Amino acid sequence: MEKKELLYEGKAKRVFATDKPDVLLVSYKDDATAFNGLKKGTISGKGAINNRVTNFMMSLLEKEGVPTHFIEELSDRETLVKKVSIVPLEVIIRNISAGSFAKRYGVEEGIVFAQPTIEFSYKNDDLGDPLINSYHALALGLATAEEIETIKSLAFKVNTFLKGFFKKLNIDLVDFKLEFGRLSDGTIVLADEISPDTCRFWDCDTHEKLDKDRFRRDLGGVEDAYQEIMKRILGE
Ligand code: TMP
């Protein structure tokens, strides 16, 4: 597969065309941002870790019956994925209170929910990714009612699997963000990434944060946390 022109550069990844119209090449960067790009930095080694962790998780999820955009890992930082049109919704599942949930509702972090929650943000940097409900998403034509139902059910299925997977690694999966895309035939598939950038991981015993909150909140030990997650997942 030949790497062709740069199609899009995001905050954490670059997307290139290939010689196949329905295949894209994603290249992960070490760049890190937070608060809609207001805070900028570099997390050394992050690109390779997020690439390898994402691909490992996507492969496991495929086996669980969750369709994904993943095709093939080419190198430490580069992966071939199916071309999708991204549904402009960030899908957030929470098992434990943290982050914007704790802030919005004025509760402490660490409340374990009896059942997971789901929420959507409208993927729009100019607006700061505002919270949106499914009726608003329908009104804005961001997705159809059927697509929203598919996305919800896949997102909860991903949560059930990931929660159990991480528990065995002594990690509590606090919350995470997913993105979905449409293949050319309209099939909804899981896209984007599953990594310490997009999930909150707490050590079950020490409750130490092993994710991007170390960068967002200037807690130090950012690189070590990413390495630790890769070590627990991939054994290296
Ligand atoms: P939040 O508590 O800040 O809303 O974040 C919820 C989860 O979503 C958390 O695991 C981090 C992830 N997330 C992203 O992946 N991208 C984002 O832009 C934001 C705001 C959160």
Side-chain angles (χ1 to χ4, degrees), residues 28 46-55 193 195-197 226:
Y28 284 71
K46 171 171 93 80
I49 291 172
N50 286 1
N51 181 43
R52 298 190 54 205
V53 165
T54 294
N55 294 340
E193 64 180 277
S195 73
D197 270 16
Y226 279 69

Side-chain angles (χ1 to χ4, degrees), residues 4-19:
K4 296 206 152 180
E5 77 273 17
L6 176 70
L7 295 177
Y8 172 78
E9 175 148 9
K11 298 190 193 93
K13 300 187 274 303
R14 291 187 188 92
V15 181
F16 296 87
T18 68
D19 43 11

Side-chain angles (χ1 to χ4, degrees), residues 49-222:
I49 291 172
N50 286 1
N51 181 43
R52 298 190 54 205
V53 165
T54 294
N55 294 340
F56 187 80
M57 301 317 304
M58 294 269 180
S59 305
L60 288 181
L61 286 165
E62 283 277 357
K63 289 194 194 118
E64 294 297 310
V66 175
T68 78
H69 72 163
F70 176 64
I71 300 177
E72 187 192 349
E73 188 168 289
L74 296 179
S75 67
D76 258 13
R77 282 172 193 275
E78 294 190 332
T79 292
L80 294 178
V81 298
K82 294 175 188 166
K83 183 177 182 173
V84 298
S85 96
I86 288 284
V87 176
L89 294 172
E90 299 201 336
V91 182
I92 295 156
I93 297 269
R94 300 179 192 268
N95 297 304
I96 300 177
S97 66
S100 69
F101 181 98
K103 197 169 175 201
R104 185 180 320 120
Y105 301 117
V107 296
E108 79 251 38
E109 298 195 309
I111 303 165
V112 179
F113 302 144
Q115 52 184 53
T117 68
I118 190 164
E119 77 215 33
F120 301 114
S121 294
Y122 175 27
K123 245 176 94 69
N124 183 317
D125 280 341
D126 293 340
L127 300 176
D129 298 342
L131 198 63
I132 189 172
N133 71 30
S134 53
Y135 292 90
H136 294 171
L138 272 176
L140 292 170
L142 306 182
T144 67
E146 195 192 348
E147 285 174 337
I148 291 172
E149 280 315 304
T150 303
I151 286 170
K152 276 191 201 162
S153 114
L154 287 174
F156 282 121
K157 187 167 175 174
V158 168
N159 183 49
T160 303
F161 175 76
L162 291 186
K163 236 175 86 172
F165 174 84
F166 283 106
K167 198 79 197 171
K168 291 187 203 134
L169 306 178
N170 210 40
I171 293 165
D172 280 322
L173 177 63
V174 174
D175 55 32
F176 58 96
K177 185 263 300 181
L178 300 176
E179 294 184 24
F180 292 86
R182 302 176 187 97
L183 299 177
S184 55
D185 69 357
T187 309
I188 293 283
V189 299
L190 181 62
D192 197 50
E193 64 180 277
I194 299 178
S195 73
D197 270 16
T198 61
C199 303
R200 284 196 173 94
F201 297 128
W202 293 356
D203 182 274
C204 292
D205 298 324
T206 64
H207 304 294
E208 189 189 356
K209 296 183 195 334
L210 296 171
D211 56 63
K212 195 176 164 188
D213 269 351
R214 302 206 73 84
F215 168 80
R216 294 188 189 100
R217 302 179 187 192
D218 297 320
L219 299 176
V222 186

